Amino acid sequence: MEHPPVANPPVTQSPLLGDNITAGFSFGTPPAANGTTNTEKFGMVSPEGGQFMYTYLSENKSTTMPTGPERTLSEDLDNYFSGPLDPTLHSKLPYYLRMRGSILPVMILPILFVAVWATVITAINQYGFDMAVDSVLLTVLGFVVGMSLSFRSATAYERYIEGRKFWQQLILHSRNLARIIWIHTRERSKEEEAKDDILAKLTAMNLILAFAQSVKHKLRHEIEYDYADLKPLINNLNTFAKTAQSADTPAATHNKYFRKVKTWGQYLGVPFCESNPTKAINKALKQGKHHGNLPFEIMVYLAAYLEHVIVDTKTLTHPCWQTQVSASQLAMMDAYGGCERVLKTPLPLAYSIAISQITWIYVLSLPFQLYPRLKWVTVPGTVVAAYIILGLAAIGREIENPFGRDVNDLGLGRYCSGLQRDLNVLTSQAPPKSKQWMMTDKNMPLWPYSNGGWGFWKGKTIDEIRSALAHKVDDQSARLATKPDSSERTDEHPGVA
């Protein structure tokens, strides 16, 4: 009998419990009651290197193999021209030869139109009517266009930087809140209560990560809750998005449509073919469905956890940490509100229309002014000028909303993945006890003057320790004079015993 999918993590090695420690989602038949495993059907699916992997479990061994449909050329091109771009990827090409991240794909059709326009105007001047215009207009209109593009670029980049600052604030205070919860929330002495405390803290970590993930989706107008990086974290919560999702488009249908969205119109600079990013929101409103404010709802549950540890279990009792967790929550919500302000307050439409009209009038008038001196060279001259002018305007439009999926947008997914790694590192060990890492000979309090450990200096008198601290000043001056390369790795710890 086939069982429904069960949630189990991927197989990893564990010195305590052996090979069958798992994390992620498993699909197929779960282990039988006698502990054996149906090796042909029980496995897991996890994203690895951007590809789904299926792992079969057999006799405490695992075999991982790729699964899912192969990507088509169209999907590869979509991934190439969509983003955001990962800055950790290195390219040896010089900047002027790079295509990904360039504004050139968006400029292809506008530049072709300008080339045809310049050719027609030049041909008319050459073989028909004289349509030349005094080049004094280049100076007058050029000044206006320069001011317009400068204003457009400055406002767009300001919004881009503001979005990055707000996300840095969100990540910073998420880490701080997680640190206080994991380190300073006490675990009770009884084993059952201690397990409850640990699992409750891990649940809070999931809520912190879920808040960041939900903000990412909210800023991209993705209103559902069942995204692969979000649903496992909040499936236990009762939210408006979860309630409304029961009547939404099934996930398989949504994903099939999402891959076929007309994005090439956006890639090639054709606004008539661009999709409305708020289409899903408008559709839900017409159907009378309300998906709520998921980040805010998640923060409510996180606040309930803090109320639990402060009032109910009294495991977070120090006023200092209570104040800090409240401040971190407030700062996270402030960052979320700031991102919403950047998203929902674009450059006033009148400015955008005027700047677009001014730049196009200037570009289209160039052939009339260049022909008297350049003749047929007017065509390439107009094309080059159009690429510069229209390109700067297009860059401003692209980065005005820094939270989307354009190549040059902020890497929100990368920020969330980084936060997830930080939380995993934080929770990988029990909260450290000071005596365990301080009172050891590996701790060298007076390094680099001395590589003596805690026990060595514990055997000295207070006067000897203070005398050594005074000599440490001269020792540091002598070492600075040699100017060692701090980037070199070493297995030695120079200093006196």
Side-chain angles (χ1 to χ4, degrees):
M1 175 181 177
E2 288 291 332
H3 293 264
V6 294
N8 281 324
V11 175
T12 58
Q13 294 291 330
S14 168
L16 180 61
L17 299 179
D19 296 341
N20 292 330
I21 307 301
T22 56
F25 292 101
S26 297
F27 297 84
T29 305
N34 59 5
T36 61
T37 302
N38 186 330
T39 58
E40 295 184 6
K41 296 183 178 180
F42 184 71
M44 53 73 62
V45 173
S46 66
E48 181 173 318
Q51 189 175 23
F52 284 98
M53 310 299 292
Y54 195 92
T55 300
Y56 292 94
L57 313 183
S58 175
E59 297 180 358
N60 291 335
K61 296 180 181 179
S62 63
T63 302
T64 302
M65 53 195 304
T67 185
E70 295 183 359
R71 293 187 306 182
T72 63
L73 176 61
S74 176
E75 290 173 337
D76 286 335
L77 290 174
D78 282 345
N79 292 333
Y80 186 81
F81 289 108
S82 62
L85 182 66
D86 186 353
T88 62
L89 299 179
H90 177 68
S91 174
K92 295 184 178 181
L93 290 175
Y95 282 108
Y96 60 85
L97 291 179
R98 297 184 188 182
M99 179 66 71
R100 191 176 190 200
S102 167
I103 205 67
L104 182 59
V106 179
M107 299 300 300
I108 291 176
L109 293 183
I111 290 302
L112 286 177
F113 171 77
V114 170
V116 172
W117 171 263
T119 302
V120 171
I121 300 302
T122 302
I124 292 176
N125 277 280
Q126 183 75 22
Y127 303 112
F129 303 100
D130 183 8
M131 304 174 65
V133 177
D134 196 306
S135 60
V136 70
L137 283 177
L138 281 173
T139 304
V140 177
L141 293 179
F143 175 77
V144 176
V145 170
M147 291 291 292
S148 301
L149 292 179
S150 176
F151 173 73
R152 185 76 166 105
S153 299
T155 54
Y157 189 69
E158 181 182 2
R159 293 165 56 81
Y160 184 89
I161 290 298
E162 272 200 341
R164 182 64 185 96
K165 288 179 178 178
F166 285 127
W167 263 92
Q168 182 58 39
Q169 177 182 334
L170 192 155
I171 298 300
L172 171 66
H173 288 281
S174 296
R175 291 172 182 157
N176 189 54
L177 179 58
R179 174 185 58 83
I180 295 174
I181 291 175
W182 187 253
I183 302 298
H184 301 291
T185 300
R186 180 175 53 84
E187 297 169 9
R188 290 169 289 182
S189 57
K190 294 182 179 180
E191 182 176 358
E192 292 301 319
E193 292 180 340
K195 286 192 290 185
D196 287 341
D197 293 336
I198 294 174
L199 294 176
K201 289 199 286 187
L202 291 174
T203 302
M205 300 296 153
N206 286 346
L207 291 180
I208 293 173
L209 176 61
F211 179 81
Q213 298 281 21
S214 63
V215 170
K216 176 190 71 174
H217 289 294
K218 182 80 170 179
L219 296 176
R220 290 176 174 174
H221 307 292
E222 297 166 350
I223 56 177
E224 311 296 348
Y225 92 104
D226 58 346
Y227 300 105
D229 58 358
L230 182 59
K231 181 177 179 179
L233 302 172
I234 62 170
N235 199 33
N236 55 318
L237 308 185
N238 184 21
T239 62
F240 275 89
K242 186 176 182 179
T243 302
Q245 190 268 343
S246 59
D248 288 339
T249 304
T253 305
H254 168 82
N255 295 339
K256 183 178 180 180
Y257 169 78
F258 182 77
R259 287 192 293 267
K260 294 183 178 180
V261 172
K262 296 180 180 179
T263 53
W264 281 98
Q266 180 179 350
Y267 298 157
L268 297 178
V270 184
F272 306 104
C273 298
E274 294 182 12
S275 298
N276 181 5
T278 62
K279 183 176 181 179
I281 300 175
N282 298 335
K283 181 180 178 180
L285 292 176
K286 289 180 180 179
Q287 295 175 349
K289 294 190 300 183
H290 186 12
H291 285 76
N293 188 337
L294 190 54
F296 179 67
E297 294 176 74
I298 292 174
M299 189 58 72
V300 169
Y301 281 95
L302 187 56
Y305 164 78
L306 296 174
E307 178 78 7
H308 171 70
V309 296
I310 293 174
V311 178
D312 298 337
T313 64
K314 294 182 172 57
T315 51
L316 184 64
T317 56
H318 201 288
C320 172
W321 306 128
Q322 294 176 0
T323 302
Q324 284 202 31
V325 295
S326 177
S328 293
Q329 277 189 295
L330 179 62
M332 291 166 67
M333 288 299 296
D334 180 65
Y336 168 46
C339 289
E340 282 193 313
R341 175 170 58 82
V342 171
L343 177 68
K344 297 181 179 180
T345 316
L347 187 69
L349 185 60
Y351 277 112
S352 297
I353 293 174
I355 292 172
S356 179
Q357 292 172 341
I358 290 170
T359 53
W360 273 104
I361 289 174
Y362 181 78
V363 169
L364 296 180
S365 67
L366 279 177
F368 300 97
Q369 303 173 66
L370 297 180
Y371 175 78
R373 293 191 178 185
L374 301 182
K375 303 304 180 182
W376 282 104
V377 182
T378 296
V379 177
T382 303
V383 168
V384 172
Y387 178 75
I388 296 172
I389 296 169
L390 298 179
L392 290 174
I395 292 173
R397 287 194 302 272
E398 180 173 323
I399 67 173
E400 183 180 30
N401 174 15
F403 307 123
R405 296 183 181 274
D406 294 327
V407 177
N408 292 297
D409 285 338
L410 296 174
L412 306 188
R414 192 174 67 255
Y415 302 156
C416 293
S417 297
L419 174 62
Q420 184 176 19
R421 285 192 296 270
D422 292 338
L423 297 181
N424 290 339
V425 170
L426 174 65
T427 58
S428 63
Q429 299 183 39
K433 304 298 182 182
S434 298
K435 291 183 179 180
Q436 295 175 353
W437 56 270
M438 280 199 307
M439 298 180 182
T440 173
D441 286 337
K442 292 183 179 180
N443 176 24
M444 298 179 290
L446 273 70
W447 188 88
Y449 171 73
S450 168
N451 55 6
W454 177 281
F456 175 82
W457 287 103
K458 184 69 180 293
K460 303 293 183 181
T461 65
I462 293 180
D463 290 338
E464 287 175 327
I465 295 176
R466 296 196 182 280
S467 176
L469 290 173
H471 286 89
K472 186 178 179 182
V473 177
D474 297 331
D475 178 76
Q476 181 185 14
S477 300
R479 291 178 187 277
L480 290 176
T482 62
K483 296 181 179 179
D485 187 354
S486 61
S487 65
E488 293 182 356
R489 298 177 61 184
T490 178
D491 294 326
E492 300 178 354
H493 306 289
V496 298

